């Protein structure tokens, strides 16, 4: 069983919201996280993990599934999910036989 968090879900949500609100005022997300941790008294890495989890929960990484489709499945599906070099070798073997 996981460790009990000393921060309530409400505090986590508020901290993530503060990071998002302060992002335009800072040069990076890490700087915004540092600003919020000074106010809340939690560690940088803890808040960074909360922000990353909130991003995943919001579906901001859903684009990765599309990239996988675009770069892999879209290209290999017509070839029967065989690498192009192997497909070409099979093709030339069939041409030699015929």
């Amino acid at each position: 069983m996981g460790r009990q968090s000393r921060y309530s879900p409400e505090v986590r949500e508020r901290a993530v919201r503060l990071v998002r609100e302060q992002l335009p005022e800072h040069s990076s997300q890490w700087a915004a996280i540092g600003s919020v941790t000074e106010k809340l008294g939690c560690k940088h890495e803890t808040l960074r993990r909360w922000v990353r989890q909130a991003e995943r929960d919001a579906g901001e990484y859903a684009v990765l599934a599309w990239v996988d489709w675009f770069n892999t499945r879209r290209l290999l599906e017509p070839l029967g999910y065989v690498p192009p070099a192997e497909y070409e070798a099979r093709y030339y073997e069939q041409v030699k036989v015929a």
Side-chain angles (χ1 to χ4, degrees):
M1 185 161 220
R3 198 177 129 241
Q4 183 76 12
S5 176
R6 62 188 218 184
Y7 299 101
S8 68
E10 293 81 18
V11 171
R12 290 179 180 204
E13 290 173 15
R14 179 173 174 246
V16 170
R17 189 181 72 247
L18 285 172
V19 169
R20 289 183 177 162
E21 289 172 356
Q22 292 192 9
L23 199 53
E25 302 169 14
H26 297 279
S27 59
S28 67
Q29 188 179 55
W30 184 252
I33 289 172
S35 173
V36 173
T37 56
E38 291 174 5
K39 295 173 185 171
L40 296 179
C42 65
K43 299 204 184 259
H44 283 70
E45 182 61 18
T46 300
L47 183 51
R48 185 193 69 80
R49 288 181 184 167
W50 294 349
V51 170
R52 293 292 181 272
Q53 185 62 49
E55 290 171 349
R56 283 190 296 275
D57 292 346
E60 293 178 12
Y61 287 102
V63 72
L64 295 178
W66 181 85
V67 169
D68 174 62
W69 170 82
F70 187 82
N71 290 336
T72 307
R73 290 182 279 145
R74 175 185 67 93
L75 298 172
L76 296 179
E77 186 177 18
L79 305 177
Y81 293 100
V82 177
E86 186 178 328
Y87 184 82
E88 185 178 11
R90 287 182 187 174
Y91 172 78
Y92 285 118
E93 284 296 318
Q94 288 177 349
V95 170
K96 284 181 186 177
V97 172

